[in-house]
Amino acid sequence: MALVVQKFGGTSVGSTEKIKNVARRVISEKEKGNDVVVVVSAMSGETNKLVAMAGEIAESPSEREYDVLVSTGEQVTIALLAIALHDMGQSAVSYTASQVKITTDSAHSKARIKSIDSEKIHKDLSEGRIVVVAGFQGADEDGNLTTLGRGGSDTSAVAIAAALKADVCDIYTDVEGVYTTDPTICENARKLDRIAYDEMLEMASLGAKVLQTRSVEFAKKYNVPIHVRSTFSENTGTMVTREDKSMEEVAVSGIAYNKDEAKITIIRVPDTPGIAAKLFGPISDANINVDMIIQNVSEDGHTDMTFTVPKGDFKKAMSLVEKAGEELGAKGVAGDPNISKVSVIGVGMRSHAGIASSVFDAFSKEGINILMISTSEIKVSCVVKSKYTELAVRVLHDTFKLGDREVKEETW
Ligand code: ASP
Ligand code: MG
């Protein structure tokens, strides 16, 4: 007998019909003899609706009240699911996050979980009940409602699985699992049987939006195996787990891309100590996340610096850099929002050489110009013009033979 945490996302509980379908899946897990805890999101579109309503009333609503509002979507689904389970003859109980003491810090709309009281849940399970818990929400030490950031139900589920020492956390969603790349770009993208936490973190933060990044960090820290799978089929999905030897045999596990960045270059700044601090200080004060940074070697005491920021922060970052550029005596500032970052990811890169040069070769054959390069132990990323994104992804997917079918090429 196992303890299983099942999480169902918004599209899985998007209508009362779908909630009944979820109830059936929950029951079939229970009928295998397992203890089942279910975590649900709000019905798809509901959280957006609530956010929009607050926006219609005030430009920047009180953060506390925002959380009181947006956390209501999940309260609807826990109740509906419990009602469905009762109707199917099961003993089940729903809980909001405060009822099972999911305690967070007070950072409204992006709170972090500090502790979960697992006693009550264990008691219900031991008495044979299915426990349904609201995702996305928490409460701080003073009892104020909080939320964990958009997509936060994934993190609720993994945290609950960690607290209960569950055997697995099943994340049910509207795709079959995690793929070698975006199947809408490569039709032969293959569903991965397994992926390491670190690879998933790179895939998630680079735009493969299956799991909230924070949930993977949590799973890695507490070693919770995650099974990403579809609500709408019986197929096994992708296991996200701790890395092992067999994963290192494969050099590349997947190709990710991110169209959501823009690049900024500051031209000919004096190459003296303190320049980077003066340039990036105001950007970080404005809460803008800088991703890649490249500084050129300088021969005549001047250097160019190029870096990327989220596209949404591009204008703000440009004006900050222009201001800093004037103060620093730079020759100019150039910006380009039409770029994207394409990355090759794999824990096997730690033991396989030559991955970066294969990437460069592949791009060179296709005439794709590389604008920036950065690497880590398990990743090679290139910034290219955004019009090349799809081509770049396909070329790399083929180069590293990640597809499940050979793309047939005529050889004569
Ligand atoms: N309902 C929340 C959202 O839409 C949390 C979640 O779905 O995970 O962001
Ligand atoms: Mg989600």
Side-chain angles (χ1 to χ4, degrees):
M1 192 176 106
L3 199 170
V4 179
V5 173
Q6 299 185 307
K7 181 256 170 179
F8 293 90
T11 48
S12 306
V13 294
S15 66
T16 47
E17 258 331 294
K18 286 183 173 167
I19 289 175
K20 288 189 214 166
N21 173 50
V22 164
R24 284 188 283 270
R25 285 218 81 133
V26 172
I27 294 169
S28 81
E29 193 65 52
K30 172 92 180 145
E31 283 174 348
K32 288 181 202 158
N34 296 328
D35 281 340
V36 187
V37 176
V38 191
V39 175
V40 283
S41 297
M43 294 165 97
S44 53
E46 280 308 309
T47 311
N48 286 346
K49 243 185 245 169
L50 296 165
V51 172
M53 265 156 62
E56 280 164 22
I57 293 177
E59 205 171 293
S60 48
S62 142
E63 294 189 324
R64 182 187 182 280
E65 305 312 327
Y66 172 93
D67 277 350
V68 173
L69 174 70
V70 299
S71 60
T72 57
E74 275 70 11
Q75 188 165 337
V76 172
T77 43
I78 53 169
L80 289 174
L81 180 57
I83 291 169
L85 289 165
H86 294 161
D87 192 56
M88 295 175 192
Q90 297 291 316
S91 154
V93 58
S94 75
Y95 290 122
T96 61
S98 354
Q99 287 175 304
V100 283
K101 299 197 181 67
I102 300 183
T103 307
T104 69
D105 60 19
S106 302
H108 285 292
S109 82
K110 46 180 177 299
R112 285 180 174 270
I113 296 175
K114 287 164 64 177
S115 64
I116 295 176
D117 178 8
S118 54
E119 223 170 277
K120 194 168 184 167
I121 300 179
H122 275 306
K123 183 162 183 293
D124 280 306
L125 293 174
S126 70
E127 290 166 6
R129 278 185 281 278
I130 295 168
V131 179
V132 184
V133 183
F136 186 47
Q137 10 170 296
D140 72 5
E141 310 266 7
D142 300 320
N144 298 302
L145 298 185
T146 55
T147 58
L148 310 179
R150 297 307 304 271
S153 301
D154 294 336
T155 301
S156 307
V158 174
I160 289 170
L164 295 173
K165 303 195 168 55
D167 296 280
V168 64
C169 180
D170 284 344
I171 303 274
Y172 283 89
T173 178
D174 51 6
V175 292
E176 293 274 335
V178 181
Y179 283 77
T180 47
T181 195
D182 182 347
T184 63
I185 294 185
C186 290
E187 60 167 31
N188 68 343
R190 176 172 47 89
K191 185 180 76 190
L192 292 159
D193 294 331
R194 300 175 60 203
I195 185 169
Y197 293 126
D198 285 328
E199 292 172 328
M200 191 60 215
L201 280 170
E202 295 292 353
M203 298 286 270
S205 63
L206 289 170
K209 296 184 182 73
V210 212
L211 289 174
Q212 195 195 35
T213 305
R214 189 130 24 106
S215 72
V216 186
E217 286 164 0
F218 220 103
K220 182 182 171 191
K221 187 161 168 202
Y222 295 98
N223 197 22
V224 179
I226 298 179
H227 186 181
V228 180
R229 58 189 307 181
S230 167
T231 313
F232 308 106
S233 84
E234 297 288 332
N235 302 338
T236 50
T238 303
M239 291 300 301
V240 189
T241 62
R242 185 195 271 176
E243 186 178 326
D244 68 25
K245 275 266 164 292
S246 71
M247 290 177 171
E248 291 214 10
E249 284 162 16
V250 189
V252 173
S253 301
I255 314 290
Y257 66 95
N258 183 355
K259 291 183 170 178
D260 220 30
E261 287 187 23
K263 109 179 146 63
I264 298 177
T265 304
I266 180 160
I267 305 157
R268 277 186 72 78
V269 274
D271 189 12
T272 51
I275 290 293
K278 282 197 190 107
L279 181 59
F280 292 108
I283 295 179
S284 104
D285 291 344
N287 247 319
I288 299 174
N289 268 328
V290 173
D291 181 23
M292 284 187 181
I293 304 179
I294 289 175
Q295 183 188 332
N296 277 354
V297 282
S298 62
E299 278 177 1
D300 59 353
H302 287 79
T303 183
D304 294 345
M305 248 188 247
T306 303
F307 57 94
T308 61
V309 295
K311 224 170 240 178
D313 291 328
F314 177 61
K315 283 213 179 96
K316 196 155 90 182
M318 275 298 277
S319 73
L320 290 170
V321 176
E322 271 157 9
K323 190 154 160 267
E326 265 168 42
E327 282 161 20
L328 297 169
K331 191 172 165 212
V333 176
D336 185 356
N338 296 317
I339 57 151
S340 61
K341 185 171 72 178
V342 179
S343 306
V344 169
I345 294 156
V347 289
M349 268 182 226
R350 293 199 183 108
S351 49
H352 288 75
I355 303 301
S357 74
S358 306
V359 172
F360 306 152
D361 266 353
F363 283 178
S364 128
K365 276 185 200 131
E366 292 294 332
I368 300 173
N369 192 27
I370 301 171
L371 306 175
M372 296 170 83
I373 301 167
S374 87
T375 62
S376 80
E377 251 196 316
I378 65 163
K379 171 181 84 168
V380 178
S381 301
C382 294
V383 168
V384 299
K385 279 263 169 214
S386 45
K387 66 177 178 192
Y388 293 128
T389 315
E390 285 75 14
L391 177 63
V393 168
R394 271 187 218 121
V395 162
L396 295 178
H397 198 259
D398 285 350
T399 298
F400 295 104
K401 302 194 169 31
L402 296 177
D404 57 2
R405 305 180 289 278
E406 283 294 315
V407 185
K408 290 233 161 53
E409 251 179 281
E410 301 293 326
T411 46
W412 61 88

